[in-house]
Amino acid sequence: AAVFRQLTVEAGDDTLLVGTARGEPGVAGHGDESVLGWRIDGEQATPFEESLITTQYASGGDPTRIGLELWPRDVDQASRAGAVRVAGSLLGGVRAGGIWAGLFRCHTDGAEGLGTYLLWRS
């Protein structure tokens, strides 16, 4: 892989939302990455049919805002109401070589919580 992104967000009521994205060498951007998403409730993990991770970067290449869009199976994707959406703003981050990790204040479906974001670039 040339890039790996992992996002975990508190979604209230002991629920986590997790998204991962992997981009092979030569991909043009995040639209060409392989993205997976899950909702974790206690011991139960439920995959989403389609997952999208978006990232806004500062001029130095560090993430400043994040988004996660998760589409459950059998939901009409023409309706914006069917997806679980997360928006996050950076609280702080650190870089070590090709790895960047940060903590974000996140909002999803009326719940506020913290989210973590890991970015690895080769």
Side-chain angles (χ1 to χ4, degrees), residues 35-120:
V35 183
L36 300 172
W38 301 268
R39 179 185 193 103
I40 300 174
D41 296 295
E43 300 286 322
Q44 176 87 17
T46 305
F48 287 90
E49 183 172 340
E50 183 176 6
S51 304
L52 306 166
I53 297 175
T54 57
T55 309
Q56 180 179 338
Y57 298 96
S59 59
D62 292 345
T64 58
R65 296 181 57 85
I66 55 172
L68 180 63
E69 190 171 306
L70 303 162
W71 290 90
R73 297 187 192 286
D74 302 322
V75 169
D76 177 15
Q77 291 192 6
S79 168
R80 291 188 50 87
V84 175
R85 289 186 173 72
V86 176
S89 298
L90 181 65
L91 292 172
V94 63
R95 175 176 297 284
I99 299 173
W100 183 92
L103 185 64
F104 286 77
R105 169 69 57 201
C106 295
H107 309 278
T108 181
D109 294 337
E112 291 193 30
L114 297 176
T116 60
Y117 186 92
L118 177 69
L119 171 64
W120 172 82

Side-chain angles (χ1 to χ4, degrees), residues 8-18 38-46:
T8 302
V9 176
E10 293 178 312
D13 298 328
D14 296 325
T15 299
L16 294 176
L17 300 173
V18 178
W38 301 268
R39 179 185 193 103
I40 300 174
D41 296 295
E43 300 286 322
Q44 176 87 17
T46 305

